[in-house]
Coordinates of all heavy atoms in Angstrom, one line a residue:
V3 N -6.0 58.9 -28.0 CA -4.6 58.9 -28.4 C -4.5 59.7 -29.7 O -5.3 59.4 -30.6 CB -4.0 57.5 -28.6 CG1 -2.6 57.6 -29.1 CG2 -4.1 56.7 -27.3
T4 N -3.6 60.7 -29.8 CA -3.4 61.4 -31.0 C -2.8 60.6 -32.1 O -2.2 59.5 -31.8 CB -2.5 62.7 -30.8 OG1 -1.2 62.2 -30.5 CG2 -3.0 63.5 -29.7
K5 N -3.0 61.0 -33.4 CA -2.4 60.3 -34.5 C -0.9 60.2 -34.3 O -0.3 59.1 -34.6 CB -2.8 61.0 -35.8 CG -2.4 60.2 -37.0 CD -2.9 60.8 -38.3 CE -2.6 59.9 -39.4 NZ -3.3 60.3 -40.7
A6 N -0.3 61.3 -33.9 CA 1.2 61.3 -33.7 C 1.6 60.3 -32.6 O 2.6 59.5 -32.8 CB 1.7 62.7 -33.4
Q7 N 0.8 60.2 -31.5 CA 1.1 59.3 -30.5 C 0.9 57.8 -30.9 O 1.7 57.0 -30.6 CB 0.3 59.6 -29.2 CG 0.7 58.7 -28.0 CD 2.1 58.9 -27.6 OE1 2.6 60.0 -27.4 NE2 2.9 57.8 -27.5
A8 N -0.1 57.6 -31.7 CA -0.4 56.3 -32.2 C 0.8 55.8 -33.1 O 1.2 54.6 -33.1 CB -1.7 56.2 -33.0
Q9 N 1.3 56.7 -33.9 CA 2.5 56.4 -34.8 C 3.7 56.1 -34.0 O 4.5 55.2 -34.3 CB 2.7 57.5 -35.8 CG 1.7 57.6 -36.9 CD 1.9 58.9 -37.8 OE1 2.5 59.8 -37.4 NE2 1.3 58.8 -39.0
A10 N 3.9 56.9 -32.9 CA 5.0 56.7 -32.0 C 4.9 55.3 -31.3 O 5.9 54.6 -31.1 CB 5.2 57.8 -31.0
N11 N 3.7 55.0 -30.9 CA 3.4 53.7 -30.2 C 3.7 52.6 -31.2 O 4.4 51.6 -30.8 CB 2.0 53.6 -29.7 CG 1.7 54.6 -28.6 OD1 2.6 55.2 -28.0 ND2 0.4 54.8 -28.3
R12 N 3.3 52.7 -32.4 CA 3.5 51.6 -33.4 C 5.0 51.5 -33.6 O 5.5 50.4 -33.7 CB 2.8 52.0 -34.7 CG 3.0 50.9 -35.8 CD 2.4 51.4 -37.1 NE 2.6 50.4 -38.2 CZ 1.7 49.5 -38.6 NH1 0.5 49.5 -38.0 NH2 2.0 48.7 -39.5
A13 N 5.7 52.6 -33.8 CA 7.2 52.5 -34.0 C 7.9 51.9 -32.8 O 8.8 51.1 -33.0 CB 7.7 53.9 -34.2
R14 N 7.4 52.1 -31.6 CA 8.0 51.5 -30.4 C 7.8 50.0 -30.4 O 8.7 49.2 -30.1 CB 7.4 52.1 -29.2 CG 7.9 51.4 -27.9 CD 7.8 52.2 -26.6 NE 8.1 51.5 -25.4 CZ 9.3 51.1 -25.1 NH1 10.3 51.4 -25.8 NH2 9.5 50.5 -23.9
I15 N 6.6 49.6 -30.8 CA 6.2 48.2 -30.9 C 7.1 47.5 -31.9 O 7.7 46.4 -31.7 CB 4.7 47.9 -31.2 CG1 3.9 48.4 -30.1 CG2 4.5 46.5 -31.5 CD1 2.4 48.6 -30.4
V16 N 7.3 48.1 -33.1 CA 8.1 47.5 -34.2 C 9.6 47.4 -33.7 O 10.2 46.4 -33.9 CB 8.1 48.4 -35.4 CG1 9.1 48.0 -36.5 CG2 6.7 48.3 -36.0
E17 N 10.1 48.4 -33.0 CA 11.5 48.4 -32.5 C 11.7 47.3 -31.5 O 12.6 46.5 -31.6 CB 11.9 49.7 -32.0 CG 13.3 49.8 -31.5 CD 13.7 51.2 -31.0 OE1 12.9 52.1 -31.1 OE2 14.8 51.3 -30.4
I18 N 10.8 47.2 -30.5 CA 10.9 46.2 -29.5 C 10.7 44.8 -30.1 O 11.5 43.9 -29.8 CB 9.8 46.4 -28.4 CG1 10.0 47.7 -27.7 CG2 9.7 45.2 -27.5 CD1 11.2 47.8 -26.8
A19 N 9.8 44.6 -31.1 CA 9.6 43.4 -31.7 C 10.9 42.9 -32.5 O 11.3 41.8 -32.4 CB 8.4 43.4 -32.7
S20 N 11.5 43.9 -33.2 CA 12.7 43.6 -33.9 C 13.8 43.0 -33.0 O 14.4 42.0 -33.3 CB 13.2 44.8 -34.6 OG 14.4 44.5 -35.4
T21 N 13.9 43.7 -31.8 CA 14.9 43.2 -30.8 C 14.6 41.8 -30.3 O 15.4 40.9 -30.3 CB 15.0 44.2 -29.7 OG1 15.4 45.5 -30.3 CG2 16.0 43.8 -28.6
L22 N 13.3 41.7 -29.9 CA 12.9 40.4 -29.3 C 12.9 39.2 -30.3 O 13.4 38.1 -30.0 CB 11.5 40.5 -28.7 CG 11.4 41.3 -27.4 CD1 9.9 41.5 -27.0 CD2 12.2 40.8 -26.3
F23 N 12.5 39.5 -31.5 CA 12.6 38.5 -32.6 C 14.0 38.0 -32.8 O 14.3 36.8 -33.0 CB 11.9 38.9 -33.9 CG 10.4 39.1 -33.8 CD1 9.8 40.0 -34.6 CD2 9.6 38.2 -33.1 CE1 8.4 40.2 -34.6 CE2 8.3 38.3 -33.0 CZ 7.6 39.3 -33.8
R24 N 14.9 39.0 -32.9 CA 16.4 38.6 -33.1 C 16.9 37.8 -31.9 O 17.7 36.9 -32.1 CB 17.2 39.9 -33.3 CG 17.1 40.5 -34.7 CD 17.9 41.7 -34.9 NE 17.1 42.8 -34.4 CZ 17.6 44.0 -33.9 NH1 18.9 44.2 -34.0 NH2 16.8 44.9 -33.5
E25 N 16.5 38.2 -30.8 CA 16.9 37.5 -29.6 C 16.3 36.1 -29.4 O 17.1 35.1 -29.1 CB 16.6 38.3 -28.3 CG 17.1 37.7 -27.0 CD 16.8 38.6 -25.8 OE1 15.9 39.5 -26.0 OE2 17.4 38.4 -24.8
R26 N 15.0 35.9 -29.7 CA 14.3 34.7 -29.3 C 13.8 33.9 -30.5 O 13.3 32.8 -30.4 CB 13.2 35.0 -28.4 CG 13.5 35.6 -27.1 CD 12.3 35.9 -26.3 NE 12.5 36.9 -25.3 CZ 11.6 37.4 -24.6 NH1 10.3 37.1 -24.8 NH2 11.9 38.3 -23.6
G27 N 13.8 34.5 -31.7 CA 13.2 33.9 -32.9 C 11.7 34.2 -33.0 O 11.1 34.7 -32.0
Y28 N 11.2 34.0 -34.1 CA 9.8 34.4 -34.3 C 8.8 33.6 -33.5 O 7.9 34.1 -32.9 CB 9.4 34.2 -35.8 CG 10.0 35.3 -36.7 CD1 10.7 34.9 -37.9 CD2 9.9 36.6 -36.4 CE1 11.2 35.9 -38.7 CE2 10.4 37.6 -37.3 CZ 11.1 37.2 -38.4 OH 11.7 38.2 -39.2
D29 N 9.1 32.3 -33.3 CA 8.2 31.5 -32.5 C 8.5 31.7 -31.0 O 7.6 31.2 -30.2 CB 8.4 30.0 -32.9 CG 7.9 29.7 -34.3 OD1 7.0 30.5 -34.8 OD2 8.4 28.7 -34.9
G30 N 9.5 32.3 -30.6 CA 9.9 32.5 -29.2 C 9.3 33.7 -28.6 O 9.5 34.0 -27.4
V31 N 8.5 34.5 -29.4 CA 7.9 35.7 -28.9 C 6.4 35.7 -29.1 O 6.0 35.6 -30.3 CB 8.5 37.0 -29.5 CG1 7.9 38.2 -29.0 CG2 10.0 37.0 -29.4
G32 N 5.6 35.7 -28.1 CA 4.1 35.8 -28.2 C 3.7 37.3 -28.3 O 4.4 38.2 -27.8
V33 N 2.5 37.5 -28.8 CA 2.0 38.9 -28.9 C 1.9 39.5 -27.5 O 2.2 40.7 -27.3 CB 0.7 38.9 -29.6 CG1 0.0 40.3 -29.5 CG2 0.9 38.5 -31.1
A34 N 1.4 38.7 -26.5 CA 1.2 39.3 -25.1 C 2.5 39.7 -24.5 O 2.6 40.8 -24.0 CB 0.5 38.3 -24.2

Side-chain angles (χ1 to χ4, degrees):
V3 176
T4 66
K5 187 172 184 170
Q7 186 59 54
Q9 289 174 337
N11 291 348
R12 181 185 177 99
R14 176 160 173 70
I15 294 166
V16 169
E17 182 178 352
I18 296 293
S20 180
T21 299
L22 290 176
F23 289 147
R24 282 178 278 156
E25 182 179 17
R26 301 181 198 167
Y28 289 128
D29 293 336
V31 181
V33 170

